[in-house]
Amino acid sequence: MKKTTLLTVLILAGVVLGVLVGHFLLRSPGASAAEIAQDTAVWKTIGEFVLMRPLKLIALPLIVTSVTLGIATVGDSRRLGLLGGATVAYYLATMVLASTLGVLLAATIRPGAGIPDDVRRSALEAGQAHLQSVSGVVTPEGGVGGAWMTILQQLIPDNALRAAVNLEFLSVITICIVTGLGLIAIGSKAKPFIDAVEALHEALMAIVRVILWAMPVGVFCLVAWSVGTMGLGNLAGALAKYVLVVMLGLSFHMLVTLPGALALFGRVNPYRFLWRMRPALPMAFGTASSVATLPVTIETARDHGGCSRRASGLVLPLGATVNMDGTALYQGVAVIFMFQAFGYDLHFAQYLTIVLTATLAAVGAAGIPAGGLVTTIIIISAVNSTIAANNPDIDPLPLAAAIGLIFPVDRALDMVRTMVNVSGDAVGARILTRLAPDGPTDDPVRERALA
Ligand code: ASP
């Protein structure tokens, strides 16, 4: 059996076993949420130590080396401009398509109609605690203006060390792009430095290839923990229609929209490509984090998916930070669901606001578990302001209740939307490989030496 096939089989076995163990062994009947959380904590801890921490540790140096090399080895500023422009256009187009699909599905299927009173009441009660538990991750205060400001501050950082220490990946990427441009500007003097960065990058990739073998155990523990704490029963309750609409949208985006884009612009068989990316997808599913998955995404895209080192070095790290198709789609559905559940009638202008702010919120969401849940608050605030402007007598949708309503099933949706986020990044890298192929030797160091 080939090594990648063996790894895939082991990882899938980890996912299936994780679901079974989580559902049948970790959920003792009659236990309270606090007791279940306590009983399952050990699984999360093992998953963190075996997989999440090593990957998170390696993500930062990997982003630094791959983006710096991506820029420095493309070398020609006209080509770089084209690559940058096409990358941003791809990200925005696919995110707008995703959020539009989410809004269309939620507006027509109406998953929030007929939510029972007791579900709304318990959402109101539990909401505040949930809101506090997620809002430590990102501070969404300030609504849409605040979200733009945060993105702008990250795009133009003022302190490289702080950006690295706080894991502000967008800032780190900006710094690496500027460094790469500086290296291009000094021509052959940059060669020793680029060679050193290249060596470090290859060393990190070698480490990633070892960490890959921890995936079956890590994914198993994380899935068991997720299913154990959340409970599959939640998926079948009053929120079932909401879960189904999100899943329907995510499946369509992953199996139709992205493959369509890849076939059209990348001219490769999209399903074969997604199949080759298979180690990265269960990893995204298990960890619910694009950033923790990034090392695996880079390794798989480059070594198996036929993506060039240049395109993947740039498109994947940036994508893990800003390109979140799954999150944009989910946010569109989630916000409409919340308003429907609490009896609000939304109109065309509000749907349009949701499409636009869901795209912005997905750009601003961190590639970590529940990163997209917390940024839905930006969209709710935007819709609340349009409601207040049109009809000041109507009370705004209470944030805590809205979050409390979708919280019980959010981890499951997070696992699936993260898979779609990672697929979107990988498809982008494959399409943009056409604009930034590797050189004839497929080895930037040798290529520069031969130049
Ligand atoms: N967990 C997602 C990711 O890392 C973000 C989200 O919560 O939507 O891509």
Side-chain angles (χ1 to χ4, degrees):
M1 197 188 277
K2 263 173 53 187
K3 266 187 179 174
T4 27
T5 315
L6 175 65
L7 187 61
T8 312
V9 171
L10 290 175
I11 297 168
L12 290 180
V15 172
V16 175
L17 268 181
V19 173
L20 295 177
V21 168
H23 185 62
F24 292 108
L25 297 184
L26 301 189
R27 286 190 72 79
S28 23
S32 70
E35 282 163 348
I36 293 178
Q38 205 178 16
D39 292 349
T40 50
V42 63
W43 296 80
K44 184 181 185 203
T45 310
I46 300 175
E48 289 267 340
F49 277 102
V50 171
L51 196 59
M52 291 289 272
R53 290 174 68 91
L55 284 173
K56 283 197 301 228
L57 175 69
I58 215 155
L60 181 69
L62 201 61
I63 288 176
V64 170
T65 54
S66 62
V67 177
T68 310
L69 281 175
I71 297 285
T73 57
V74 171
D76 151 6
S77 56
R78 213 174 53 90
R79 188 179 274 243
L80 263 178
L82 195 65
L83 181 64
T87 306
V88 173
Y90 168 80
Y91 291 162
L92 285 180
T94 49
M95 279 195 285
V96 169
L97 277 178
S99 58
T100 307
L101 176 64
V103 167
L104 281 177
L105 286 175
T108 46
I109 302 180
R110 297 187 57 78
I115 291 292
D117 269 351
D118 59 325
V119 175
R120 267 200 302 265
R121 222 173 301 118
S122 59
L124 272 168
E125 281 157 17
Q128 202 55 45
H130 292 321
L131 191 62
Q132 270 159 10
S133 78
V134 291
S135 63
V137 184
V138 181
T139 45
E141 289 91 21
V144 181
W148 276 116
M149 200 53 178
T150 312
I151 293 174
L152 212 68
Q153 278 168 348
Q154 293 217 1
L155 272 176
I156 308 174
D158 61 353
N159 186 328
L161 287 183
R162 194 178 52 218
V165 169
N166 292 342
L167 297 182
E168 288 162 4
F169 291 115
L170 203 51
S171 303
V172 171
I173 289 170
T174 308
I175 294 163
C176 296
I177 291 177
V178 174
T179 309
L181 293 175
L183 290 169
I184 294 174
I186 61 172
S188 59
K189 274 195 216 150
K191 189 175 179 306
F193 181 79
I194 296 178
D195 287 348
V197 177
E198 169 79 16
L200 177 60
H201 180 71
E202 288 309 316
L204 292 168
M205 292 303 287
I207 298 170
V208 172
R209 285 184 203 108
V210 175
I211 299 177
L212 281 183
W213 290 95
M215 274 173 66
V217 177
V219 166
F220 162 68
C221 293
L222 291 170
V223 171
W225 167 74
S226 307
V227 173
T229 38
M230 186 187 66
L232 292 182
N234 277 337
L235 299 177
L239 300 179
K241 208 163 160 195
Y242 160 63
V243 172
L244 272 179
V245 174
V246 177
M247 293 293 191
L248 186 70
L250 291 176
S251 312
F252 187 89
H253 192 78
M254 186 158 163
L255 299 175
V256 180
T257 310
L258 289 175
L262 185 52
L264 198 64
F265 300 109
R267 308 252 170 84
V268 288
N269 180 331
Y271 298 106
R272 191 174 306 149
F273 172 74
L274 285 178
W275 174 243
R276 290 205 174 136
M277 287 301 300
R278 61 192 181 276
L281 302 183
M283 175 71 196
F285 182 80
T287 59
S289 167
S290 306
V291 168
T293 309
L294 181 63
V296 184
T297 318
I298 295 181
E299 199 274 342
T300 319
R302 225 181 69 170
D303 294 359
H304 308 286
C307 300
S308 69
R309 294 143 65 107
R310 290 170 175 171
S312 52
L314 210 61
V315 178
L316 293 177
L318 193 56
T321 320
V322 301
N323 181 40
M324 302 207 179
D325 300 354
T327 302
L329 189 146
Y330 141 85
Q331 288 180 328
V333 180
V335 170
I336 295 179
F337 168 73
M338 295 163 180
F339 278 94
Q340 286 170 348
F342 283 92
Y344 294 79
D345 256 336
L346 299 182
H347 303 293
F348 181 74
Q350 284 147 347
Y351 289 136
L352 199 64
T353 306
I354 295 175
V355 168
L356 298 178
T357 45
T359 306
L360 168 72
V363 170
I368 55 174
L373 172 64
V374 71
T375 47
T376 51
I377 296 169
I378 298 168
I379 313 167
I380 301 172
S381 311
V383 179
N384 272 341
S385 345
T386 65
I387 292 176
N390 290 332
N391 198 338
D393 301 335
I394 299 182
D395 286 337
L397 175 69
L399 286 182
I403 296 292
L405 185 65
I406 58 169
F407 194 85
V409 292
D410 201 66
R411 177 73 187 192
L413 298 183
D414 198 359
M415 292 158 90
V416 183
R417 68 185 183 250
T418 306
M419 235 166 69
V420 178
N421 290 345
V422 168
S423 306
D425 298 341
V427 165
R430 189 65 188 85
I431 291 177
L432 291 153
T433 290
R434 288 189 65 198
L435 283 185
D438 285 332
T441 63
D442 203 27
D443 178 345
V445 178
R446 276 195 57 211
E447 216 187 308
R448 274 193 312 279
L450 294 176

